[in-house]
Amino acid sequence: MTVPAAAGAPEKNRPRSRGETLAVLKLLALAGADHTAVVLTSRELGERLGVSQQAADRYLLALEKRGLITRSLAQRRQRLLLTPAAMEQLRLEHHSYRRIFEGPAKISFSGAVTSGLGEGRYYLSQPGYVVQFTERLGYPPYPGTLNVRVGGEALRKVALVGEWSGIRIDGFTTAGRTFGGATCFPAKMNGHRCHLIHPDRTHYKDVVEFVAADCLREALPVKDDDAVEIDIEES
């Protein structure tokens, strides 16, 4: 038997869902908290959200604990500021709406060729990957990836790719070892067709990996520290 919740109980753990979190972050951003601290009481926030002052205060407490806002007191009123993590959530949500109304996303950026850990050749030689790449990308991959280091605005753009719809490469287990999955996106590097690989797990924070039917270093040709221009499209 289901016991009905007591009146007011649903507010206790707010914000409970991603939608509620985004609603609060959006309201604060529109108030100017995306670039400067804004003075806003819990009561004022509650009125704008259509919830009680107590519920609004719990919203803010939960967001502060998650590192999405900072709060400080100024003459008995709180100053609220969105953190970079909060802005990233709003950017990802913005991308989702752009996909709905504008279609697949495209980004362009530049980076510098860099040497990796040498693991690409090993992984792309695994039959479990080779079969999937061949079937889903349309070509057997050259056994090795080309790494490109990015920074600044390019790094922010690349972060958005994690929310895109792409070509899925499933993880698998063989000989007692587990190999992780990844998502691939059609790309061009200096006009040469390839795919960006976005692994589910990666050692890199500022490096993106690319795979192609041929050796990109030879086909372009490029060497470490050479600049490359990259275009990526959501699939």
Side-chain angles (χ1 to χ4, degrees), residues 27 39-60 71 76-78 80:
L27 189 153
V39 177
L40 192 67
T41 67
S42 297
R43 184 177 205 174
E44 292 168 335
L45 180 65
E47 289 175 350
R48 298 186 189 186
L49 291 171
V51 300
S52 69
Q53 176 181 341
Q54 293 78 12
D57 198 51
R58 285 192 285 268
Y59 273 128
L60 295 177
R71 293 198 296 175
R76 303 184 67 178
R77 300 188 75 188
Q78 59 189 353
L80 305 171

Side-chain angles (χ1 to χ4, degrees), residues 88-141:
E88 186 62 22
Q89 286 205 19
L90 289 173
R91 275 191 289 268
L92 293 175
E93 187 69 5
H94 174 243
H95 168 72
S96 297
Y97 281 106
R98 284 189 59 187
R99 176 66 191 259
I100 293 172
F101 294 107
E102 299 177 17
K106 298 179 181 180
I107 60 172
S108 298
F109 60 91
S110 60
V113 174
T114 185
S115 293
L117 299 175
E119 297 177 334
R121 179 176 298 274
Y122 169 72
Y123 285 110
L124 289 180
S125 297
Q126 297 299 313
Y129 284 134
V130 174
V131 170
Q132 292 188 72
F133 275 103
T134 302
E135 292 179 347
R136 300 175 188 182
L137 302 188
Y139 58 81

